[in-house]
Amino acid sequence: LDRDRTWSVLAAPLPEGILVSFEDVSELEQAGQARRDFVANVSHELKTPLTAMLGFIETLRGAARDDATARERFLGIMQREAERMNRLVNDLLSLSRVESDERMRPTAEIRLGDLVQSVIASLRPVAEPLGVTIDIDCSVDSQTIVRGDADQLTQVFFNLIDNAVKYGRDGKRVQVHMERVSRDSSLRGPAYHVTVQDFGPGFDPIHIPRLTERFYRVDSHRSREMGGTGLGLAIVKHIVNRHRGRFRIESTPGNGACFTVSLPAVA
Ligand code: ADP
């Protein structure tokens, strides 16, 4: 027996002797552990803003009761914490939806170029005040068709471009590149590649294998400061899987991060 695995052993007396059966329950154990970790993480993520809000409510009813400036400031902080909880609950709902649908392939015809352009348009008002420009260069026409779920693909590109603006803001520029390849070896056919590149600090490539885990962050403090939930890339990974696509992460520390989504092209 492999000692690194977990076995369930059952022994039953039979007239001819004893029947002993061994069952490998390692995967069951791991799934149970993952579920327990997830519940602990969610509880922690919800408890942090809740504790802050309870503290401010107490202060507002006590020491800061008659201080209009403090009241305004504390209400502002409470609003930001409540908004973060709201984003977290929305991300948890998205994640559970895409995880449960992962085996079903979405079939609507989506114009990928138009979809990416509209995500960029919705994020420009966020990027501009930070001094960040979002450029797109596109070697395919905007009517490029893929089969998919428009809301979910919008979420994929929103999460990636929003991260590039948030974490890469020092680089002042986010570059989105879109192209068609006639044969993608891992998708075994024609594909569209959409790359989101920023020129910010990036991260050590050592983090790459874990970045799509739920609640994994390179720098927790910075993620929280940016209002992150730690679920964005996990959602991206599941949606891309659901579309039978591929998701690749690259980074050069000090010179930006690059995220590529490849989706099978409709011939
Ligand atoms: P979050 O809500 O924390 O942004 P994500 O799942 O979207 O969660 O991202 C996970 C972590 O990956 C982030 O906390 C951040 O540390 C890192 N990250 C994501 N995108 C970038 C980027 N463009 N540049 C640098 N770090 C990034």
Side-chain angles (χ1 to χ4, degrees):
L1 291 184
D2 183 345
R3 283 195 204 156
D4 291 337
R5 306 189 75 83
T6 311
W7 300 92
S8 146
V9 184
L10 279 175
L14 293 176
E16 306 80 30
I18 297 174
L19 174 72
V20 183
S21 83
F22 295 88
E23 194 185 352
D24 179 358
V25 289
S26 313
E27 276 177 25
L28 224 64
E29 286 267 311
Q30 277 162 13
Q33 186 57 44
R35 202 169 39 245
R36 286 190 291 277
D37 289 349
F38 181 61
V39 172
N41 278 329
V42 171
S43 311
H44 174 74
E45 296 288 335
L46 286 171
K47 207 166 162 44
T48 310
L50 262 179
T51 308
M53 280 163 65
L54 286 170
F56 284 118
I57 290 171
E58 207 173 295
T59 317
L60 282 171
R61 303 186 100 169
R65 190 181 209 124
D66 303 315
D67 181 341
T69 321
R71 199 164 55 226
E72 247 341 277
R73 198 162 69 82
F74 293 160
L75 284 172
I77 301 174
M78 286 169 68
Q79 183 169 356
R80 278 201 298 284
E81 294 295 337
E83 283 165 356
R84 189 140 67 90
M85 284 176 73
N86 198 26
R87 274 198 301 278
L88 179 61
V89 172
N90 285 337
D91 277 359
L92 285 168
L93 289 172
S94 297
L95 192 60
S96 92
R97 232 182 345 256
V98 291
E99 277 182 336
S100 59
D101 287 354
E102 206 164 304
R103 290 206 188 94
M104 275 161 38
R105 188 172 186 170
T107 52
E109 292 202 340
I110 311 291
R111 293 178 176 179
L112 191 61
D114 289 350
L115 185 142
V116 173
Q117 291 276 13
S118 78
V119 171
I120 293 176
S122 73
L123 279 166
R124 280 206 172 111
V126 179
E128 267 158 24
L130 301 172
V132 178
T133 57
I134 310 175
D135 299 319
I136 176 159
D137 70 275
C138 196
S139 64
V140 288
D141 77 71
S142 70
Q143 306 224 332
T144 313
I145 305 280
V146 294
R147 289 196 201 288
D149 177 314
D151 288 342
Q152 291 187 357
L153 290 177
T154 298
Q155 195 166 13
V156 164
F157 297 108
F158 186 94
N159 288 359
L160 295 180
I161 301 171
D162 184 49
N163 274 353
V165 170
K166 272 189 324 202
Y167 297 109
R169 63 172 70 172
D170 294 348
K172 299 286 171 213
R173 189 163 71 87
V174 172
Q175 182 70 46
V176 180
H177 175 78
M178 194 166 153
E179 65 175 343
R180 186 182 203 279
V181 291
S182 51
R183 188 175 159 75
D184 179 304
S185 54
S186 52
L187 298 184
R188 298 201 188 96
Y192 293 111
H193 290 182
V194 185
T195 304
V196 178
Q197 162 93 57
D198 67 68
F199 302 90
F203 38 78
D204 190 321
I206 201 167
H207 296 286
I208 292 176
R210 300 200 59 194
L211 274 187
T212 54
E213 283 177 20
R214 301 178 278 198
F215 300 117
Y216 186 84
R217 291 149 163 135
V218 174
D219 177 344
S220 299
H221 177 71
R222 191 159 161 79
S223 159
R224 277 174 225 283
E225 211 177 64
M226 303 282 175
T229 61
L231 294 174
L233 294 180
I235 293 174
V236 168
K237 185 187 84 174
H238 283 287
I239 295 178
V240 173
N241 282 349
R242 205 183 158 217
H243 285 76
R244 307 290 187 269
R246 201 166 45 97
F247 181 43
R248 203 172 71 228
I249 306 176
E250 294 154 287
S251 174
T252 320
N255 204 19
C258 184
F259 297 82
T260 304
V261 173
S262 307
L263 295 168
V266 172

